[in-house]
C-alpha cells in the first residue's frame, strides 16, 4: 500500500467538521435535495453568511440574494460542498503544530488565489467562478496536510527555503510523497470533478500537463497558474515585485489584458481579498495598487563591471566653498559635463526634486540638514530610492560607517577628497546608473510588448468567435454558450431553453436579388433577433441562414412565448433595399432541458427537430419539441 493511501485510511489528512461534514455526507446521497442542504447550512451562521457573500459577489449587480435556500440553489450542490469543505478547513487550521510554518500567510495566499481564480473565471469562462474560488482556496491544501502530519520533518524542509519544483522534489526525498499528490487525494475526496481536479494538479508546472492547446483543461491549468502568480505578487516582498509583475503582464496579455486591464483586475482582487479576509478572520496586510507597484523605483541591482561612458546627472552637496569647488572640478573632468551643487541637505532636497539626479555626493557634517538626515529624507520618497548616494566623511570608524549605510548610503569617500578614490567610486556609481537605465528600458519595452500582445490576442479571440457578416457570435461561440448555460442549469436546477431559427425561403432571395441583397437581409434579421433577446440570452449565427438563441433561466413555456414574439417581429420588418421591399419570415424550433436529456446536444437536436416540423407545417411558425414529440400551435 502506498504512503498516500496509508494517510488516507489513517484519517490524519485535514477533513471538514460539523455542518461542513454534514453537507459533504448529505451531498453524496443520490436522493439528497438542495432544500435539505439549505436547511443544514442555515444551522451554521458563519457558513451561511459566507455563501451569501459569494453568491451576491457573482450576481454582477443583479438582484441580491437574501435567503440561504436561494443561495444554495444558485451555487448548486457541488459548489456548496466544495466551499463548505474549504471554509471548514480555514476555521480549523489558522494555527497548527509546526512553529516554522506560517499558517496565516498560507491561508492569505490561498484566499488571494481563490479570489483571483474567481475573477479570471468571469473573463475566461472555462468553469463556474464559484467552483474556481473553491479550487483556489484548496489548491495548496497538500502542504497543510504534510505540515499537520509531519510537523518536525516539514520544519526541516522549510529551513531549506526552497520553492516550486525544488520543494516538490525535497518533499518526495524526505517524506516519500509531495504536496501535489496529497492535494489531489483531498480534492478527490471532496468530490471535485475530474475536469477541475486534473488542471489543478498541474497548475504549479503547467508545461508538464500535456493538455491540447486551447482545450478546456489547458485553459483551466493556465488560469490556476495565473491566479497563483497573482497571489505570489500579492504576498511577495517589495524587492521581488518587479519580476512578478513582468511575468504577470505576459500572462495577462495571453487572455487579452494589457497593463491597464491587468491592473484593474488585480486591484479588484485585492479589494475582494481584504473583504474575505475580514470575514474569515485571516490577517492580511495593506497592498499598493498594481500601477503603484509597476511604476515603483527599480530594485537596486548588484554592481557589476560595465564598459562604456555613461552621462549621469550628479548632485554635489557640500557646505565648505573651497572643497565644493575642488570636488566639482574633479567631477566635471570625470563626467565631461556640468554638476548641480547645493550647500546643505535642505537646499539639496529641493534641488533633487527638480533635477532628479542619478548620483548624489553629499558631505556628512553640514548646517540646517546634515548628510545623514538628507539621505534618510531621500530614501523616504519614491523618487529618491533609486539614487546612488556617496557620503563624504572625515571619520572612518566602524560605527560611523555602519550608521551611514543604515541610513541608505551606497558608498563613502574619506575627506580630504582624493581624486583617484573619488574616481573609483564614481565608476562604480556610473555602472549602477547604466544597469538601472537598461532595466528601465527593458521594463518599458515589456509593457509596450504586453499591451500590443493583449490587443492582438483580443482581436484574434474576437475574430475566432465572431461571424463576420452579422457581427454576432459564430457557431463556435454559440456552442460554447450552449454548453455553459447547460452546465449552469445542471448545477443550479434553473431551466434553460434553445431556439433554432431559420429564414424562410432564403435561397429564393439570393436567386432573385443577388447575394449582396441576401447578406443585407441576414444582417437585418440578426439585428431583429438580437433586439428581441433578453440581456442574459446568447444569439449566434451557426451557418447560412440559421441562428441559435440560448435562453438562460427560461422553461419551455417562456421560450415558446419569446419565440412567437420574435416571429412576429421579423414578419413586421420593412426591409427596403434599392427601392425594393423584401418581405421575410422565420421558422423557429424550441426545446428546453428535460430530465431524460444526457447533454446539451440532446436539447439542440430536439430544437432542430421542432424547426424541421415548423418548416414542414407551412413555415412562418413556431414549434415546440417535448419528450421527443413536436407540437406546432
Amino acid at each position: 500500500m502506498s504512503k498516500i493511501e496509508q494517510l488516507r485510511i489513517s484519517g490524519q489528512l485535514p477533513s471538514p467538521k460539523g455542518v461542513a461534514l454534514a453537507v459533504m455526507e448529505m451531498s453524496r446521497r443520490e436522493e439528497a435535495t438542495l432544500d435539505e442542504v439549505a436547511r443544514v447550512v442555515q444551522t451554521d451562521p458563519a457558513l451561511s453568511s459566507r455563501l451569501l457573500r459569494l453568491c451576491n459577489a457573482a450576481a454582477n449587480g443583479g438582484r441580491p440574494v437574501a435567503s440561504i435556500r436561494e443561495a444554495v440553489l444558485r451555487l448548486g450542490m457541488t459548489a456548496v460542498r466544495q466551499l463548505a469543505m474549504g471554509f471548514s478547513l480555514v476555521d480549523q487550521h489558522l494555527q497548527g503544530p509546526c512553529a516554522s510554518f506560517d499558517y496565516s500567510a498560507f491561508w492569505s495566499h490561498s484566499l488571494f488565489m481563490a479570489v483571483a481564480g474567481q475573477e479570471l473565471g468571469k473573463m475566461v469562462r472555462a468553469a463556474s467562478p464559484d467552483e474556481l474560488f473553491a479550487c483556489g482556496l484548496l489548491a495548496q491544501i497538500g502542504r497543510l496536510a504534510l505540515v499537520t502530519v509531519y510537523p518536525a520533518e516539514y520544519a526541516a524542509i522549510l529551513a531549506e527555503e526552497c520553492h516550486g519544483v525544488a520543494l516538490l522534489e525535497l518533499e518526495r526525498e524526505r517524506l516519500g510523497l509531495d504536496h501535489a499528490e496529497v492535494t489531489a487525494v483531498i480534492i478527490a475526496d471532496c468530490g471535485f470533478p475530474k475536469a477541475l481536479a486534473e488542471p489543478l494538479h498541474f497548475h504549479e508546472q503547467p508545461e508538464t500537463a500535456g493538455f491540447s492547446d486551447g482545450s478546456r483543461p489547458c485553459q483551466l491549468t493556465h488560469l490556476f497558474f495565473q491566479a497563483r502568480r497573482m497571489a505570489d505578487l500579492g504576498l511577495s516582498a517589495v524587492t521581488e515585485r518587479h519580476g512578478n509583475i513582468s511575468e504577470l503582464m505576459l500572462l495577462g496579455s495571453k487572455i487579452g489584458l494589457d497593463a491597464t486591464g491587468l491592473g484593474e483586475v488585480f486591484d479588484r482582487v485585492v479589494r475582494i481579498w481584504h473583504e474575505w479576509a475580514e470575514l474569515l478572520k485571516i490577517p492580511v496586510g495593506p497592498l499598493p495598487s498594481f500601477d503603484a507597484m509597476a511604476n515603483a523605483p527599480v530594485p537596486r541591482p548588484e554592481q557589476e563591471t560595465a564598459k562604456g561612458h555613461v552621462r549621469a546627472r550628479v548632485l554635489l552637496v557640500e557646505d565648505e566653498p573651497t572643497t565644493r569647488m575642488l570636488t566639482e572640478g574633479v567631477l566635471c573632468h570625470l563626467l565631461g559635463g556640468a554638476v548641480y551643487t547645493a550647500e546643505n541637505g535642505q537646499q539639496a532636497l529641493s534641488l533633487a526634486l527638480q533635477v532628479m539626479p542619478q548620483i548624489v555626493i553629499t558631505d556628512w557634517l553640514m548646517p540646517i540638514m546634515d548628510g545623514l538626515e538628507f539621505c534618510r529624507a531621500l530614501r523616504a520618497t519614491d523618487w529618491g530610492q533609486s539614487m546612488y548616494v556617496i557620503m563624504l566623511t572625515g571619520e572612518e570608524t566602524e560605527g560611523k560607517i555602519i550608521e551611514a549605510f543604515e541610513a541608505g548610503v551606497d558608498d563613502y569617500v574619506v575627506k580630504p577628497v582624493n581624486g583617484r578614490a573619488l574616481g573609483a567610486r564614481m565608476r562604480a556609481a556610473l555602472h549602477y546608473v547604466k544597469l538601472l537605465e537598461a532595466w528601465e528600458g527593458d521594463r518599458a519595452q515589456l509593457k509596450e510588448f504586453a499591451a500590443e500582445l493583449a490587443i492582438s490576442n483580443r482581436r484574434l479571440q474576437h475574430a475566432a468567435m465572431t461571424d463576420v457578416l452579422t457581427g454576432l457570435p459564430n457557431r463556435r461561440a454559440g456552442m460554447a454558450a450552449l454548453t455553459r448555460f447547460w452546465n449552469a442549469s445542471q448545477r443550479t436546477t434553473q431551466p434553460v431553453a434553445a431556439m433554432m431559427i431559420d429564414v424562410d425561403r432564403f435561397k429564393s432571395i439570393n436567386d432573385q436579388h443577388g447575394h449582396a441583397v441576401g447578406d443585407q437581409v441576414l444582417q437585418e434579421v440578426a439585428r431583429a433577433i438580437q433586439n428581441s433577446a433578453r440581456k442574459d440570452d446568447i444569439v449566434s449565427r451557426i451557418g447560412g441562414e440559421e441562428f441559435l438563441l440560448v435562453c438562460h433561466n427560461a422553461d419551455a413555456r417562456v421560450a415558446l412565448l419569446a419565440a412567437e414574439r420574435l416571429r412576429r417581429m421579423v414578419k413586421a420588418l420593412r426591409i427596403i433595399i434599392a427601392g425594393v421591399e423584401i418581405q421575410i419570415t422565420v421558422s423557429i424550433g424550441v426545446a428546453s432541458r428535460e430530465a431524460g436529456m444526457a447533454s446539451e446536444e440532446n436539447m439542440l437536436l430536439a430544437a432542430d427537430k421542432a424547426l424541421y416540423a415548423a418548416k414542414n407545417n407551412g413555415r412562418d411558425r413556431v414549434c415546440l419539441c417535448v419528450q421527443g414529440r413536436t407540437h406546432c400551435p
Side-chain angles (χ1 to χ4, degrees):
M1 183 183 296
S2 68
K3 197 163 187 178
I4 190 72
E5 285 299 323
Q6 292 174 12
L7 283 179
R8 195 178 205 168
I9 295 171
S10 70
Q12 292 178 281
L13 296 177
S15 59
K17 294 182 179 179
V19 169
L21 181 60
V23 168
M24 287 192 65
E25 291 176 346
M26 180 179 291
S27 64
R28 291 193 178 102
R29 300 200 325 260
E30 290 186 7
E31 70 276 12
T33 66
L34 286 170
D35 280 333
E36 290 178 306
V37 173
R39 282 196 291 273
V40 172
V41 169
Q42 284 175 330
T43 64
D44 186 337
L47 179 59
S48 298
S49 65
R50 293 164 183 175
L51 292 181
L52 280 172
R53 197 230 173 276
L54 191 69
C55 193
N56 284 320
N60 289 325
R63 183 179 64 82
V65 176
S67 72
I68 293 300
R69 182 182 180 278
E70 188 176 355
V72 170
L73 287 173
R74 284 202 187 181
L75 293 170
M77 193 173 295
T78 301
V80 170
R81 179 181 65 235
Q82 296 165 358
L83 293 164
M85 166 74 175
F87 293 144
S88 175
L89 293 181
V90 174
D91 291 338
Q92 292 178 61
H93 297 280
L94 284 174
Q95 295 179 333
C98 181
S100 303
F101 187 73
D102 192 336
Y103 291 86
S104 295
F106 170 81
W107 284 117
S108 183
H109 186 281
S110 299
L111 182 60
F112 202 115
M113 184 173 170
V115 177
Q118 181 186 42
E119 292 304 305
L120 291 173
K122 293 176 183 177
M123 300 173 59
V124 178
R125 296 187 172 183
S128 161
D130 306 318
E131 291 186 297
L132 294 176
F133 181 96
C135 286
L137 196 61
L138 299 177
Q140 293 282 299
I141 197 65
R143 289 192 67 204
L144 181 70
L146 293 178
V147 167
T148 303
V149 178
Y150 307 109
E153 295 89 337
Y154 211 83
I157 292 174
L158 292 174
E160 300 282 343
E161 295 187 355
C162 54
H163 306 281
V165 178
L167 176 60
L168 292 168
E169 291 174 350
L170 193 59
E171 288 171 345
R172 286 192 289 270
E173 178 188 328
R174 302 281 180 85
L175 304 176
L177 72 173
D178 61 54
H179 67 260
E181 296 176 70
V182 182
T183 296
V185 168
I186 296 174
I187 289 293
D189 288 346
C190 292
F192 279 69
K194 188 177 180 181
L196 291 174
E198 282 192 342
L200 194 63
H201 178 71
F202 290 104
H203 86 275
E204 291 185 71
Q205 300 171 268
E207 69 281 357
T208 66
F211 298 127
S212 301
D213 288 344
S215 66
R216 184 168 178 257
C218 180
Q219 284 183 308
L220 284 170
T221 302
H222 284 87
L223 183 148
F224 290 136
F225 178 70
Q226 186 166 356
R228 169 78 179 273
R229 298 305 287 139
M230 290 176 75
D232 290 344
L233 172 59
L235 276 79
S236 63
V238 174
T239 54
E240 299 171 357
R241 286 175 181 168
H242 283 275
N244 289 337
I245 286 173
S246 299
E247 183 183 5
L248 271 180
M249 284 182 180
L250 292 176
L251 291 172
S253 66
K254 293 179 180 179
I255 58 173
L257 286 174
D258 58 13
T260 302
L262 177 63
E264 290 172 353
V265 173
F266 187 87
D267 291 345
R268 184 165 65 250
V269 169
V270 171
R271 176 179 55 78
I272 300 171
W273 174 57
H274 277 102
E275 292 171 357
W276 270 111
E278 185 177 354
L279 190 63
L280 295 174
K281 297 180 175 59
I282 297 174
V284 299
L287 197 63
S289 70
F290 184 87
D291 185 63
M293 289 190 290
N295 293 292
V298 182
R300 306 177 68 79
E302 293 295 326
Q303 294 181 13
E304 301 174 4
T305 301
K307 295 181 179 180
H309 180 66
V310 180
R311 295 187 65 84
R313 294 183 302 279
V314 177
L315 171 62
L316 171 62
V317 191
E318 171 62 70
D319 64 313
E320 205 282 307
T322 302
T323 304
R324 184 170 68 247
M325 183 178 66
L326 292 173
T327 307
E328 183 181 358
V330 173
L331 291 173
C332 288
H333 175 72
L334 289 170
L335 298 170
V339 175
Y340 300 95
T341 61
E343 297 179 7
N344 57 64
Q346 192 175 81
Q347 188 184 97
L349 199 60
S350 176
L351 185 58
L353 183 57
Q354 296 175 42
V355 302
M356 288 295 167
Q358 294 150 304
I359 302 172
V360 175
I361 302 170
T362 178
D363 189 18
W364 187 320
L365 300 175
M366 296 182 295
I368 304 177
M369 177 187 283
D370 66 23
L372 223 56
E373 291 177 284
F374 169 54
C375 187
R376 291 193 185 103
L378 271 184
R379 298 308 192 206
T381 66
D382 287 340
W383 48 268
Q385 290 178 22
S386 60
M387 295 176 185
Y388 194 94
V389 180
I390 300 173
M391 182 71 77
L392 304 179
T393 174
E395 298 187 52
E396 202 177 2
T397 62
E398 183 179 353
K400 288 291 185 181
I401 297 304
I402 291 172
E403 185 181 4
F405 280 115
E406 287 178 345
V409 169
D410 294 290
D411 207 341
Y412 70 96
V413 175
V414 178
K415 297 176 71 173
V417 175
N418 178 284
R420 291 184 63 189
L422 180 59
R425 273 21 177 228
M426 283 299 296
R427 281 194 293 275
L430 291 171
H431 293 161
Y432 167 80
V433 170
K434 185 176 180 179
L435 290 172
L436 196 64
E437 288 180 340
W439 204 101
E440 288 284 7
D442 289 344
R443 182 168 68 174
Q445 286 182 351
L446 175 63
K447 289 182 74 171
E448 185 178 351
F449 170 73
E452 291 174 356
L453 187 58
I455 293 169
S456 175
N457 280 333
R458 279 201 297 268
R459 287 173 179 165
L460 287 172
Q461 288 172 358
H462 185 265
M465 304 295 278
T466 304
D467 175 58
V468 178
L469 177 64
T470 63
L472 292 176
N474 60 15
R475 180 181 185 85
R476 180 182 175 188
M479 294 301 106
L482 179 65
T483 300
R484 191 166 65 250
F485 282 19
W486 176 272
N487 291 339
S489 176
Q490 284 189 312
R491 191 173 68 253
T492 65
T493 70
Q494 290 181 332
V496 63
M499 297 184 204
M500 288 287 290
I501 305 159
D502 187 88
V503 180
D504 295 328
R505 298 184 176 87
F506 182 71
K507 185 177 182 300
S508 65
I509 295 175
N510 276 338
D511 293 342
Q512 186 176 351
H513 302 283
H515 288 279
V517 172
D519 287 348
Q520 292 182 60
V521 168
L522 287 177
Q523 290 170 342
E524 291 290 340
V525 172
R527 274 192 287 272
I529 299 173
Q530 187 71 72
N531 291 336
S532 73
R534 299 174 304 171
K535 180 182 176 182
D536 293 334
D537 295 343
I538 298 292
V539 181
S540 58
R541 183 189 177 201
I542 59 174
E545 64 273 22
E546 283 193 339
F547 299 85
L548 171 66
L549 199 162
V550 187
C551 305
H552 170 67
N553 196 18
D555 57 19
R557 183 185 65 81
V558 172
L560 192 64
L561 292 173
E564 180 59 27
R565 185 168 62 250
L566 169 60
R567 183 193 67 80
R568 292 177 181 172
M569 182 184 297
V570 173
K571 189 171 185 177
L573 285 176
R574 293 186 71 247
I575 302 176
I576 301 174
I577 302 173
V580 178
E581 182 172 346
I582 301 174
Q583 178 70 48
I584 59 167
T585 60
V586 293
S587 299
I588 305 176
V590 179
S592 63
R593 177 173 173 263
E594 298 172 359
M597 291 180 175
S599 70
E600 66 272 23
E601 295 214 355
N602 297 115
M603 183 174 69
L604 194 62
L605 288 172
D608 199 49
K609 184 177 180 179
L611 174 62
Y612 187 76
K615 290 282 193 183
N616 285 345
N617 281 272
R619 296 183 174 84
D620 186 23
R621 64 174 55 240
V622 176
C623 287
L624 173 68
C625 184
V626 180
Q627 298 297 326
R629 301 182 63 181
T630 56
H631 305 271
C632 298

